[in-house]
Amino acid sequence: MSNISLLLNKLKLSLQKRTGVTQNNKSREAWLAKGYNNEPLVTVILQSHNKSLQVSHIVAKLRKHPATEIIVIDDGSTPEHNQTLAKLLTGANEFLLRCNDLYENITYDRTLRMANGRYIALLQDDDDFESTDWIDEAVRYFEQYPRLGILGGSGALNIAFEAPRAFGKAIEPTRPFDFAMAVNRAPMWINKELYMQELKHIDYLFAPFQYDDYELCARAWMCGLQVGWYDARFKSLSAGGMRLWNRHFTQQQCAVNGPRLYNLYIGHKEEIEARVKEARGTIGN
């Protein structure tokens, strides 16, 4: 049956080619009218699982910001959510990537290489905001600090090393912007040029998720980059997908990746702390 279907389809396409019926709606003018921007200032990457309603809400707000590329990762959603997202993302600089429950480490890593924005914001499907001011604020911090490789808009963290594991420990910032050992997603901003020059990837050793963001921050400091924090004033639309569907899986990943983070960076703890302190001394200068 499959071979017969392929043959019939081949005959159909051959007829269409000869008659030219497939060419009527294609033109250079139509392509130019799409308004594709190959050098957007900002790319927003939004990871989602069965949250098409929330994603539609977020995308509507993101569209209000000019020169923004939007990439939605549909990671293993059921067909109705995937179909909703396919209908939603109609702009020339709007993309939908379909994956099969690969989770954040792999999907963000692959999509970062696809993104064309100078600055890239990693979001999740429960993130919400009143306006796009958080985007403009982030861009200003990147312009002010040329070695700022990562900028978090949620929690500022120290990486706590308590043998045999390491984990993120929240700290309370005392000013609108500060440098930190690590930051939480989301949003987590990436300077694309510095990322490709120095970091190159999210460490697959931490796949499929958990503590790969902390590892990326620690590695950024070791590469001579800086990690900053500001208040993006996000609020939650609903429980995040990780909490809804992956509680036991998250516990398993913490048990594996906590010791892995400890072993990788316990020997660099004091050096990273010194670099964070030095960077904090430059604020306001």
Side-chain angles (χ1 to χ4, degrees), residues 165-168 206 209-215 254 257-258 261:
R165 66 191 184 102
F167 56 92
F206 290 80
F209 63 92
Q210 205 66 21
Y211 298 161
D212 54 294
D213 46 357
Y214 301 163
E215 190 283 329
C254 287
N257 285 347
L261 184 65

Side-chain angles (χ1 to χ4, degrees), residues 7-274:
L7 177 60
L8 291 174
N9 186 254
K10 180 179 179 180
L11 292 173
K12 175 185 175 182
L13 294 175
S14 296
L15 180 62
Q16 289 177 338
K17 180 180 179 181
R18 287 171 182 250
T19 59
V21 296
T22 58
Q23 306 300 318
N24 294 337
N25 62 344
K26 306 292 184 181
S27 69
R28 176 171 175 77
E29 291 76 16
W31 185 87
L32 290 172
K34 293 179 182 291
Y36 172 71
N37 179 5
N38 198 49
E39 297 181 339
L41 178 65
V42 168
T43 296
V44 175
I45 298 174
L46 182 56
Q47 169 98 4
S48 180
H49 177 82
N50 287 343
K51 292 282 198 69
S52 58
L53 178 63
Q54 288 81 359
V55 171
S56 299
H57 173 81
I58 297 167
V59 167
K61 294 185 176 183
L62 290 174
R63 284 172 171 159
K64 297 177 182 178
H65 193 274
T68 298
E69 178 178 71
I70 300 172
I71 304 176
V72 175
I73 304 167
D74 178 9
D75 191 19
S77 296
T78 54
E80 61 269 22
H81 288 282
N82 184 256
Q83 292 164 11
T84 297
L85 294 175
K87 292 177 181 178
L88 169 70
L89 299 167
T90 57
N93 280 82
E94 297 177 358
F95 302 87
L96 175 62
L97 300 184
R98 178 71 168 84
C99 328
N100 295 306
D101 282 332
L102 296 181
Y103 294 92
E104 299 168 359
N105 178 291
I106 296 169
T107 58
Y108 280 144
D109 177 69
R110 297 292 297 270
T111 312
L112 275 165
R113 290 193 287 275
M114 172 185 170
N116 275 6
R118 190 183 311 168
Y119 308 113
I120 303 170
L122 306 180
L123 269 64
Q124 299 183 4
D125 56 19
D126 61 327
D127 292 326
D128 194 17
F129 44 88
E130 293 297 329
S131 72
T132 58
D133 290 348
W134 63 277
I135 296 178
D136 298 320
E137 291 171 19
V139 171
R140 286 196 294 270
Y141 286 124
F142 279 117
E143 292 174 346
Q144 184 175 356
Y145 299 100
R147 295 299 292 173
L148 184 61
I150 299 173
L151 176 64
S154 181
L157 305 162
N158 283 327
I159 298 176
F161 292 89
E162 297 180 5
R165 66 191 184 102
F167 56 92
K169 186 174 183 180
I171 57 176
E172 191 66 34
T174 59
R175 43 192 170 187
F177 170 86
D178 210 342
F179 292 104
M181 187 182 291
V183 290
N184 260 329
R185 299 188 191 114
M188 175 183 272
W189 284 92
I190 304 290
N191 181 318
K192 176 69 179 288
E193 182 178 7
L194 295 180
Y195 177 86
M196 296 307 298
Q197 288 175 353
E198 304 290 349
L199 298 170
K200 298 181 176 59
H201 64 91
I202 298 174
D203 195 338
Y204 182 72
L205 286 174
F206 290 80
F209 63 92
Q210 205 66 21
Y211 298 161
D212 54 294
D213 46 357
Y214 301 163
E215 190 283 329
L216 189 66
C217 292
R219 182 154 40 98
W221 284 111
M222 294 303 299
C223 289
L225 302 181
Q226 296 171 329
V227 178
W229 171 91
Y230 78 118
D231 184 4
R233 301 174 301 280
F234 273 29
K235 56 186 179 181
S236 180
L237 281 169
S238 59
M242 298 305 293
R243 291 191 294 274
L244 280 173
W245 290 290
N246 299 287
R247 179 170 297 181
H248 175 64
F249 197 0
T250 299
Q251 292 172 347
Q252 290 179 312
Q253 284 301 108
C254 287
V256 172
N257 285 347
R260 178 167 285 143
L261 184 65
Y262 180 93
N263 290 329
L264 280 173
Y265 289 101
I266 184 60
H268 302 290
K269 175 179 178 291
E270 293 182 0
E271 182 177 357
I272 294 173
E273 289 175 341

